[in-house]
Amino acid sequence: MQIARGLKALRTRAGLTQSELAKRAGVSVGTVNRYETWQDRAKLRVPTTKALADSCGSSARERDALVQLVRDQDNGWWMDHPAVPEVMDPLMSFEDVAEYEHVFANALVPGLLQTPRYALALHEAQDMRTDADAIAGKVDARIKRQAILERSPSLHLWVVLDAAVLRRMVGGPEVMMEQIDHLRTISRRPNVDLQVLPFNAGAHAAGSGGHFLILGREDEGDPLNGMNVVYLELHKRGLYLDAPSEVQSYKLMFDYLRSQASDASASLDMLASARQELT
């Protein structure tokens, strides 16, 4: 998606049609369209990306940034992990280069904050008629993804957690107590902010909408190097949005959710209270 947006921006700046760019780069119009509309992501190639960027008169920095994105897609550990569904490949690629990730979770603890036993209980419930080895592979992939929080420079994660998540019994009391303890611990990290949206907040900005993520990276000096993507988690699939108006709508929604949720200190108290209820 970021590659597609970058190439399209370069072509627009150069004042070229897709047909004109195709002729200059020595590729088909279909290839130009495929790269600009983010189709068949696995088929993106470095030489073609270079040819398209160069034919638009890109600077060396702009071209190299796009080429690096293509290479990063192929080098991510998730590309070869058998338990990572194809729909998750783009999300992990975006996380790998994002500066921040904002998450609203209304039903379950977000994947980046799940404990292994919580993740296992979820997959055992969701993946009916799936053998134990396959489920173990999915749990391994989910926990491995959490390494993004340890990288340098660190990803800043901000989560607004609906209070209902703390009351949904996943895996039994022991698993939930362990999960809540993990949330209390990890929320004290400098790169993690966690707020709980209490029931008494009433109707909220997300309305009847579900779980969503906003991933971003700002670069005022080079807009092509910036990134803003929304990921909507659906059953067995995901939806990616990068149209500026749609991204801005979700950013505004998340800002209101943050204002409606309890602050960090009160959220820690709510986590402690939820854990006490389990004992």
Side-chain angles (χ1 to χ4, degrees):
M1 186 177 288
Q2 192 177 357
I3 298 168
R5 189 181 70 247
L7 288 172
K8 188 172 183 179
L10 288 174
R11 180 175 63 78
T12 301
R13 188 180 69 189
L16 299 172
T17 65
Q18 286 190 346
S19 296
E20 290 169 338
L21 175 56
K23 187 175 181 179
R24 283 192 183 188
V27 298
S28 68
V29 176
T31 295
V32 175
N33 183 64
R34 179 164 61 82
Y35 273 63
E36 289 190 3
T37 55
W38 200 51
Q39 298 173 19
D40 300 326
R41 175 182 162 277
K43 296 180 181 179
L44 301 187
R45 296 289 181 263
V46 168
T48 305
T49 303
K50 281 184 177 179
L52 292 172
D54 287 339
S55 298
C56 290
S58 68
S59 67
R61 181 184 177 188
E62 291 169 336
R63 180 197 61 214
D64 293 345
L66 291 172
V67 166
Q68 189 58 49
L69 286 173
V70 175
R71 287 176 173 152
D72 288 344
Q73 289 183 158
D74 292 332
N75 295 334
W77 63 265
W78 52 88
M79 298 298 293
D80 297 320
H81 199 297
V84 177
E86 186 176 344
V87 70
M88 291 292 289
D89 288 345
L91 174 61
M92 295 190 185
S93 294
F94 292 140
E95 282 182 340
D96 197 46
V97 298
E99 291 177 345
Y100 64 84
E101 180 171 331
H102 295 165
V103 184
F104 172 61
N106 68 330
L108 302 168
V109 173
L112 288 178
L113 299 181
Q114 291 176 10
T115 63
R117 291 209 295 170
Y118 185 96
L120 176 61
L122 282 181
H123 279 296
E124 287 177 338
Q126 296 170 352
D127 301 317
M128 300 78 71
R129 301 181 181 180
T130 302
D131 63 64
D133 288 343
I135 288 178
K138 292 184 177 185
V139 173
D140 174 73
R142 181 160 298 183
I143 301 306
K144 195 169 184 178
R145 175 186 162 210
Q146 296 174 2
I148 197 71
L149 295 176
E150 309 291 343
R151 77 169 194 211
S152 180
S154 61
L155 173 77
H156 183 199
L157 177 67
W158 197 314
V159 176
V160 174
L161 198 69
D162 194 295
V165 175
L166 304 177
R167 265 66 187 184
R168 182 172 297 281
M169 192 68 66
V170 175
E174 287 189 7
V175 172
M176 285 303 299
M177 284 190 288
E178 180 184 62
Q179 177 63 71
I180 292 174
D181 285 342
H182 180 61
L183 292 175
R184 295 168 68 186
T185 299
I186 202 167
S187 67
R188 293 184 172 93
R189 290 189 182 186
N191 65 317
V192 177
D193 286 287
L194 176 64
Q195 293 179 262
V196 178
L197 183 65
F199 289 127
N200 61 16
H204 53 76
S208 59
H211 188 114
F212 69 84
L213 291 74
I214 305 171
L215 298 111
R217 183 181 69 204
E218 310 300 336
D219 190 338
E220 294 182 1
D222 184 4
L224 287 178
N225 195 41
M227 178 186 72
N228 283 285
V229 179
V230 174
Y231 172 69
L232 305 181
E233 193 165 279
L234 308 175
H235 184 61
K236 300 297 184 183
R237 61 185 294 264
L239 180 64
Y240 296 89
L241 308 174
D242 75 335
S245 60
E246 292 178 317
V247 172
Q248 184 56 38
S249 176
Y250 276 89
K251 282 186 173 182
L252 181 63
M253 187 190 309
F254 192 77
D255 284 342
Y256 272 90
L257 287 169
R258 284 190 288 199
S259 68
Q260 293 166 329
S262 299
D263 63 24
S265 178
S267 295
L268 280 172
D269 291 341
M270 293 177 69
L271 289 172
S273 177
R275 191 193 190 286
Q276 188 173 11
E277 289 179 18
L278 291 167
T279 61

